[in-house]
Amino acid sequence: MVERTGDGPDPGAPGGSDGAGGPPSGPAEPEAGAHPEPEALDRPLPEKVRRRVVAFTGEALGGLTVAELPAPLRQYARFTPQRRAKFGGNAMAAALESDAVFRQRIAGRLRDRFPELAEALENGSPPPAADPVDVGALAYVLRPAGWSKLVAAAGEEAQRAQAERADEEAQRELARLRTELAEARSAAREDAERSRAELDAVRKELESAQRKLRSAQSDVRRGEAEVRKVRAELESMRAAAGSDKAAADSEVRRLKSRLAEAESALEAGRRAAREGRSVADMRVRLLLDTVLDAAQGLRRELALPPASVHPADTVEAVEPGQISPKDVAARALSETDPALLDQLLALPRAHLVVDGYNVTKTGYPALPLEKQRLRLLGGLAVLAAQSGAEVTCVFDGAELAAPVLLAPPRGVRVLFSKPGQTADELIRRLVRAEPPGRPVVVVSSDREVADGCAAAGARPVASVLLLNRLART
């Protein structure tokens, strides 16, 4: 809050200069030697009056030059009045209180803006219809005789108006609460009536359920009697079944005895057949052992070592080095050059794994999914025939409601992922299933798929590379 310090005569009171060298705008100053007691506020400046003073000062500040402003306020000279009041309100209030010349200049601007109200204040008769907050704010800046009382009255009037508004709000809230209470009571009566009706319905349902229960209990008693009768019949049937089982067991034992006799006769016949054939087998085995012994004796006599070296291995020459997908990647070819894919597929026993939808949605996303698959598989069939490589095309089948009816072209294996599994996971499983050292090329622009396959030993390439190669076909 801004307060009066009361440390000397007030240059902003009526009769003072406006700071621009003009003639006095109010009554003549007191004679020399007179020292009237300056007025001061006995309480902090009311908040509404303070905000109105800051707003008036911010609007009047634009009419002063930078040289006419106190040093703390010069940084706000280019601001709009609203921004001056927001960011420089405390500085402007302090300058009005401590800088009498600045206050006189602001007072002059306010006299020009509110001439009638300023004249009425300086004459000591503020108009009754004027806004008390405006009266208090102008009185604080102009400092006419009795200005402190005007400021205090303005604050009291603002508080009274605020109290009246609060009282009106309380009355409206009370009326609203009374209305809600009446509605709540009416709703409670309706709920009570509805509950009584529901209770009557429940009582009727309970009586009906009790009647049904008594009927069910009588049915249960009849059922128990039937069960006892059935149990008696079951016991008699068990006794009859026991006698039948004993007779059947006796018949089984008799049949087993006859089966044992038949098996003994069959084994005797087989033994006689083997004994008749054993003489011929013995002669053949003796001849074969004689030939084997003669061959082993000849090997020992010649002392020939095992043949572990072939004649072609004795010729000196430079053997070719083993090539891998990483060696092909090290050559000076662009990642989108179709020749790179040809070199990769030229490796022995190469396996090309294609992320189907990743390629089709990169090359021709406007086509329906069925036509995308057919177009890609047609190109892969031609590539498989030209390169001789194993080709596997994987599509995402996790969202399919039913299996896709599709006849894979010759030389291309077509796989769909199972429900709950993505095509990326199926591709990584295919790569891990290959033995270490086999050239595996994975076509996908998905970075996660490429990194996972590279970690498993495969060579990832972008989908654009395959599209360029198929366009050349």
Side-chain angles (χ1 to χ4, degrees):
M1 296 295 181
V2 179
E3 299 182 9
R4 286 283 296 147
T5 58
D7 56 355
D10 185 0
S17 172
D18 60 358
S25 58
E29 296 182 356
E31 296 179 0
H35 297 284
E37 184 68 22
E39 295 186 29
L41 294 174
D42 57 354
R43 66 187 65 180
L45 188 63
E47 182 60 25
K48 287 192 174 182
V49 176
R50 179 186 178 279
R51 287 199 295 267
R52 193 66 55 84
V53 168
V54 170
F56 286 165
T57 305
E59 293 173 357
L61 206 66
L64 301 178
T65 63
V66 176
E68 292 175 339
L69 297 176
L73 300 182
R74 292 176 181 174
Q75 57 179 328
Y76 307 111
R78 296 181 179 274
F79 285 19
T80 61
Q82 291 80 6
R83 295 189 68 206
R84 292 187 196 122
K86 180 178 179 180
F87 298 104
N90 294 332
M92 288 189 290
L96 285 173
E97 182 64 28
S98 60
D99 193 337
V101 176
F102 173 67
R103 189 172 61 249
Q104 290 175 359
R105 292 169 179 161
I106 298 300
R109 296 292 177 182
L110 294 182
R111 286 191 188 93
D112 296 338
R113 181 178 176 184
F114 306 101
E116 296 178 358
L117 183 56
E119 183 178 359
L121 289 176
E122 291 175 350
N123 293 333
S125 57
D131 186 353
V133 179
D134 290 345
V135 172
L138 282 177
Y140 178 77
V141 177
L142 298 178
R143 304 292 176 93
W147 66 271
S148 60
K149 295 180 181 179
L150 293 175
V151 172
E156 293 173 358
E157 181 64 22
Q159 291 179 356
R160 185 186 64 78
Q162 184 175 0
E164 290 179 355
R165 287 193 297 271
D167 184 60
E168 292 175 358
E169 289 291 335
Q171 292 295 333
R172 287 195 294 270
E173 182 66 16
L174 180 60
R176 186 184 64 80
L177 292 177
R178 285 176 178 173
T179 303
E180 291 182 357
L181 178 59
E183 294 176 354
R185 287 176 177 174
S186 176
R189 286 194 296 270
E190 293 177 358
D191 291 342
E193 294 175 358
R194 186 166 53 254
S195 298
R196 283 194 293 270
E198 292 177 356
L199 180 60
D200 294 339
V202 170
R203 285 177 179 173
K204 293 179 180 179
E205 292 179 359
L206 179 60
E207 293 175 356
S208 175
Q210 289 176 348
R211 288 193 297 269
K212 292 180 180 179
L213 178 61
R214 288 191 293 270
S215 176
Q217 288 176 347
S218 63
D219 292 342
V220 169
R221 287 191 291 271
R222 286 195 298 270
E224 290 176 349
E226 292 290 336
V227 168
R228 288 192 295 270
K229 180 180 178 181
V230 170
R231 285 179 177 174
E233 294 177 355
L234 180 61
E235 291 296 331
S236 62
M237 293 175 65
R238 282 179 177 174
S243 61
D244 294 341
K245 182 176 182 298
D249 291 342
S250 176
E251 181 67 18
V252 167
R253 286 193 295 272
R254 186 179 66 82
L255 293 176
K256 285 183 178 179
S257 176
R258 294 184 61 183
L259 178 62
E261 293 175 358
E263 289 177 350
S264 299
L266 178 61
E267 181 62 24
R270 288 177 178 175
R271 188 181 308 111
R274 286 196 299 271
E275 290 176 354
R277 196 177 54 191
S278 62
V279 176
D281 292 343
M282 179 185 62
R283 295 177 65 185
V284 172
R285 179 60 184 267
L286 180 60
L287 178 60
L288 180 60
D289 290 342
T290 302
V291 172
L292 291 177
D293 290 342
Q296 291 177 358
L298 181 61
R299 179 180 294 176
R300 286 194 300 271
E301 182 178 355
L302 297 178
L304 295 176
S308 60
V309 179
H310 299 280
D313 295 333
T314 61
V315 179
E316 295 184 358
V318 177
E319 295 183 356
Q322 296 294 329
I323 189 169
S324 68
K326 295 183 178 179
D327 298 324
V328 174
R331 300 184 179 183
L333 290 175
S334 171
E335 290 294 330
T336 59
D337 190 349
L340 175 60
L341 185 59
D342 290 338
Q343 293 184 7
L344 291 171
L345 297 181
L347 296 174
R349 304 293 297 172
H351 185 186
L352 179 66
V353 181
V354 181
D355 188 353
Y357 287 140
N358 186 275
V359 175
T360 60
K361 292 181 180 179
T362 302
Y364 20 91
L367 296 179
L369 289 181
E370 181 180 1
K371 293 186 177 180
Q372 290 182 16
R373 291 192 295 265
L374 294 177
R375 181 171 176 179
L376 175 61
L377 294 177
L380 291 178
V382 176
L383 181 61
Q386 292 176 348
S387 62
E390 179 183 355
V391 179
T392 302
C393 186
V394 179
F395 293 104
D396 194 352
E399 303 297 333
L400 293 178
V404 177
L405 300 179
L406 178 67
R410 182 183 299 273
V412 179
R413 180 187 299 108
V414 180
L415 299 177
F416 286 88
S417 62
K418 295 181 179 179
Q421 182 187 59
T422 63
D424 302 347
E425 298 173 357
L426 180 56
I427 291 173
R428 286 191 287 268
R429 288 176 54 198
L430 288 171
V431 173
R432 290 193 298 268
E434 294 293 342
R438 184 183 183 186
V440 180
V441 182
V442 178
V443 180
S444 179
S445 296
D446 190 330
R447 177 51 55 189
E448 183 178 356
V449 175
D451 294 342
C453 294
R459 171 65 161 88
V461 296
S463 299
V464 178
L465 178 62
L466 177 60
L467 291 170
N468 293 341
R469 177 60 180 83
L470 296 180
R472 197 190 67 182
T473 303

